[in-house]
Structure formats: C-alpha cells, structure tokens
Amino acid sequence: MRLEQAARQLEVLGNPTRLQAYRALVRAGPEGLPVGRLQRRLKVVGSTLSHHLRRLVATGLVTQERRGTTLLCRAHYPAMAALLGYLADECCADAPAPAARKPAGARAEEGKACA
Amino acid sequence: MRLEQAARQLEVLGNPTRLQAYRALVRAGPEGLPVGRLQRRLKVVGSTLSHHLRRLVATGLVTQERRGTTLLCRAHYPAMAALLGYLADECCADAPAPAARKPAGARAEEGKACA
DNA sequence: GAACTATTTCGATGTCCATCGAAATAAAAC
DNA sequence: GTTTTATTTCGATGGACATCGAAATAGTTC
C-alpha cells in the first residue's frame, strides 16, 4: 500500500496554494519559515493557510515546531526524496531489453528514457 | 504561471488509480502499453480508465497513438523530468549561507538538504 | 456491409475539497 | 490579569471529481 501514501502526497501537492507554500519551505531550507511569514508571502487568508498546512503535515511533507508564539514550518526533505524516488525509480523496469539480455542481477539500465 | 501547470500535473498524479496507470506506463518504457492491457492490469472499468487517461494526456504526462484498433499509451518522460526538476530545483535557494558568503554567480550549494 | 473488438461519451450519483469570516485558543508582554 | 499577536477551529457555501453502466463511435475482419 505504498502507492496510497504516494498518491496522498501528490494530491496534497496538487493544489496551487499548497504547492506554493511547500515550495517556499523547500526554498527556505532547513531553517524553515513561520506560518505568519508564509501567510504574508502568499497573501492567503490565515484560516485557509492553516488548513493547507495541516494537510501538508498530515502527509509527512512538512514538520512544525513551536517557537514561542510562532509556529515554525519546515519541509521534510526525506519525504520529498522518497516521493521523487517513487516516481523515477523502476522506470522501464518492465521494458524488454532492446537487444541484449539483461545480465542476471543487473538493473535494466539500457533503454532508460527518464535519465 | 509555471506553478499552475506543475500543480495540475501533481493533482492528476494524486489519484491512486491514475498513479497506478502512470507508473505502469513508466515501467513499461518507451514501448508503452495499449489501453486494454492497462485495463486488465489495473482491473478498472473501461469508462473510468478512459476518464483518467484523458486527464493524464491533457496535462502532458502521457501521449497516445493509434495502432490499428488499439490505442497505445506512453509516459512522456520529458514532462516527468520537468516536474521532478520543478520540485527539487531551487532547494534552499533562499536559505542563508551557513558560514561563507556565496560567491557571486555561484549557486548556493552549501546547506542543500535534499541532495 | 455485418459482426466483432476496442475505446469513448453520456448522464447520474455521492463524496471530497477550497475558501472565507467569525469566533476560539495559545503564548507573550505589559 | 489584561492586552496583543499568532494561529486554529467552526460552520457554511459552491464547485470539482471518481465511479459506474449503458449507449455510441472507431476500426478490423469476414
């Protein structure tokens, strides 16, 4: 059921407002950004942003940490790496080898169209 | 408005059935798969699969080509690469350099957390 | 052109989601 | 403890989507 998890994360990233927020966090790096700064940057109503951040956190793409009165948000990079890997890995895994037989134990590298 | 395009593609991939179909095509490699084979593999009603494929094609993630009576579907790898790049690129671009000043013209490589 | 296979379009149904404003909570400052 | 700032929860609204079965279309074969 790994597919379900990936689909959930992709769906969460598939909303323009959420994608914008997530990208801002990715750009911000390990220091992250507080909710308020995100809100001002994206020009979105607070309650709406809160809703979106909740979904990002729920799927493991973003983490939050209290910092006094503000809430610090950070992109969770391992989750991003896993998701990208899920999409890119096994590319052409089922493709018939163009000419040569794949040697046993070797990953099919020939014909990789998504290099 | 490149963000809108990326969000649309992510949202399209964010449905389990569609993600399954897309992954099957990615695995299949450049040869692609006909609709009927996808249908049997995913065990999904024909009309539903047709609906999903239409969305994958509409966002440029999949291409189709008539092959006699069957319709051949292929993952469009440049689109996938562009989407993955959109997510991964500019990681930490806004992050303050930890110690050294970034030399002018050089991309901030230090602190890249998503390597 | 009739029969057959492959795929799509249509119409209907139920569900989930984005967005907002107002009110509620959390934490700090005074 | 009251004021102030930061963020969330609540409730409502309008719109989009997934799924299905039945009927329609495209293309092949006889």
Side-chain angles (χ1 to χ4, degrees):
Chain A
M1 297 303 161
R2 183 71 219 285
L3 175 133
E4 292 288 341
Q5 165 83 342
R8 238 172 323 216
Q9 292 182 331
L10 288 167
E11 191 241 321
V12 161
L13 290 177
N15 171 273
T17 305
R18 258 181 330 241
L19 181 56
Q20 214 177 342
Y22 181 70
R23 271 200 111 217
L25 292 178
V26 168
R27 292 179 60 102
E31 308 230 338
L33 288 175
V35 174
R37 187 174 286 265
L38 268 176
Q39 181 178 349
R40 263 168 270 129
R41 188 171 297 192
L42 307 193
K43 291 183 181 58
V44 63
V45 175
S47 55
T48 300
L49 178 59
S50 180
H51 162 66
H52 287 314
L53 286 175
R54 182 142 55 113
R55 301 205 61 191
L56 283 165
V57 169
T59 49
L61 287 167
V62 166
T63 65
Q64 290 180 326
E65 184 186 344
R66 263 252 117 87
R67 262 313 191 354
T69 168
T70 74
L71 234 180
L72 198 61
C73 304
R74 281 193 266 248
H76 186 50
Y77 295 105
M80 181 171 83
L83 183 56
L84 297 185
Y86 184 81
L87 285 177
D89 286 355
E90 308 193 10
C91 171
C92 309
D94 292 348
R101 211 83 195 140
K102 355 180 189 182
R107 201 69 176 176
E109 290 298 339
E110 62 276 10
K112 279 263 186 186
C114 51
Chain B
M1 299 303 161
R2 183 70 220 287
L3 175 132
E4 293 288 340
Q5 166 82 343
R8 237 173 323 215
Q9 292 182 332
L10 288 167
E11 192 243 319
V12 161
L13 290 177
N15 170 274
T17 304
R18 258 179 332 240
L19 181 56
Q20 213 177 344
Y22 181 70
R23 273 201 110 215
L25 292 178
V26 169
R27 291 180 60 102
E31 307 229 337
L33 287 175
V35 175
R37 186 174 287 264
L38 268 176
Q39 180 178 350
R40 264 168 269 128
R41 188 171 297 191
L42 307 194
K43 293 183 181 58
V44 64
V45 175
S47 56
T48 300
L49 178 59
S50 180
H51 162 64
H52 288 313
L53 286 175
R54 180 142 54 114
R55 301 205 61 193
L56 283 166
V57 170
T59 49
L61 287 167
V62 165
T63 65
Q64 291 181 325
E65 183 187 344
R66 263 252 118 87
R67 263 311 189 0
T69 168
T70 74
L71 235 180
L72 198 61
C73 304
R74 281 192 267 247
H76 186 50
Y77 295 105
M80 180 170 82
L83 183 57
L84 297 185
Y86 184 81
L87 286 178
D89 287 355
E90 306 192 14
C91 171
C92 308
D94 292 347
R101 209 83 196 141
K102 356 180 189 183
R107 200 66 176 179
E109 290 297 340
E110 61 277 11
K112 279 264 188 187
C114 50

